[in-house]
Amino acid sequence: MFIDKAISILFGLVFLFVLSCDGPSSDSVVSEEEATAVGGKALQDDPVFWDYAASSNMLQTEIGRIAAEKATSDSIKTMGQKTVDFHSKAMQQLRSLVANQEKVQIPDSLGSADRALVEEFKLLEGEEFNTRYRDFILNTHTVQLERYKEALGRAENKRTLDWLQAMLVHLRKELNSVANIDSVKQQ
């Protein structure tokens, strides 16, 4: 039990480190006041945010595919497939949202750290996979919730606001699903 918790904590720390190395750091998040002070940079014109949003959706989709195939728990398999379905659609919507933005170029593939994380998940088996996937969802969704909440304050059009709201609802629902899986497992 202790080893499982230690591994989970270690994975969480490694994941946060990976996010800080290959993606935009939380220091790059611009508050609404800072955006106004530097020329009113709206969310729609913020390439850092959209790069983060695209990268996180692609990563969720790829690791969700692995979960749908490799998980030994039916609830984790189902969660993985729902993740693939939701984040694939969210990615299509994201591309549509930024299609006419000259300053925004979203990535079309995962960065090196994200690819390495996908490869790590491919090597996991059994209960270790299930545990790491639950931890991945908890860690990534918590970070994404904060980023998307911050982005709401800078969004200027209804389509972007609607997309962000849908993302927030999904992320909260997934966090609740993981909590339900964990509570059923403990009983």
Side-chain angles (χ1 to χ4, degrees):
M1 185 74 171
F2 173 75
I3 292 174
D4 289 342
K5 287 185 179 184
I7 289 172
S8 295
I9 290 170
L10 180 61
F11 175 77
L13 292 172
V14 168
F15 180 76
L16 291 174
F17 176 74
V18 167
L19 281 179
S20 69
C21 290
D22 197 42
S25 71
S26 60
D27 294 339
S28 67
V29 175
V30 178
S31 71
E32 191 172 3
E33 296 82 25
E34 291 170 326
T36 304
V38 295
K41 188 175 188 179
L43 181 66
Q44 205 63 24
D45 296 326
D46 183 355
V48 173
F49 173 78
W50 294 109
D51 180 79
Y52 169 80
S55 297
S56 61
N57 274 285
M58 288 188 294
L59 181 61
Q60 292 290 336
T61 301
E62 287 303 311
I63 293 183
R65 278 191 185 107
I66 298 167
E69 294 172 13
K70 290 188 72 169
T72 57
S73 159
D74 288 340
S75 57
I76 297 291
K77 279 187 180 210
T78 301
M79 181 183 294
Q81 188 57 55
K82 286 181 180 179
T83 296
V84 170
D85 296 342
F86 180 85
H87 287 282
S88 296
K89 183 179 176 184
M91 189 64 192
Q92 290 172 349
Q93 293 168 339
L94 184 150
R95 288 185 194 285
S96 173
L97 285 172
V98 300
N100 297 325
Q101 301 302 316
E102 294 176 18
K103 297 178 183 178
V104 177
Q105 295 276 330
I106 58 174
D108 57 0
S109 62
L110 294 173
S112 60
D114 289 344
R115 283 193 310 270
L117 188 59
V118 168
E119 292 304 315
E120 284 180 39
F121 269 93
K122 287 179 179 178
L123 298 175
L124 298 173
E125 299 289 335
E127 187 56 36
E128 183 182 16
F129 179 89
N130 295 342
T131 301
R132 295 272 303 270
Y133 185 70
R134 282 191 306 268
D135 292 344
F136 170 77
I137 293 295
L138 288 172
N139 291 327
T140 58
H141 283 33
T142 301
V143 171
Q144 287 173 315
L145 268 172
E146 292 305 312
R147 294 292 297 265
Y148 292 154
K149 282 182 197 176
E150 182 273 332
L152 276 174
R154 297 183 321 152
E156 293 182 336
N157 67 55
K158 183 172 177 9
R159 286 182 62 217
T160 302
L161 286 168
D162 289 346
W163 186 83
L164 288 167
Q165 289 290 359
M167 293 302 295
L168 291 169
V169 167
H170 169 77
L171 294 169
R172 287 183 188 116
K173 190 185 302 185
E174 289 301 301
L175 287 171
N176 287 335
S177 292
V178 171
N180 288 337
I181 290 170
D182 288 343
S183 67
V184 168
K185 187 178 176 182
Q186 289 178 0
Q187 294 176 357

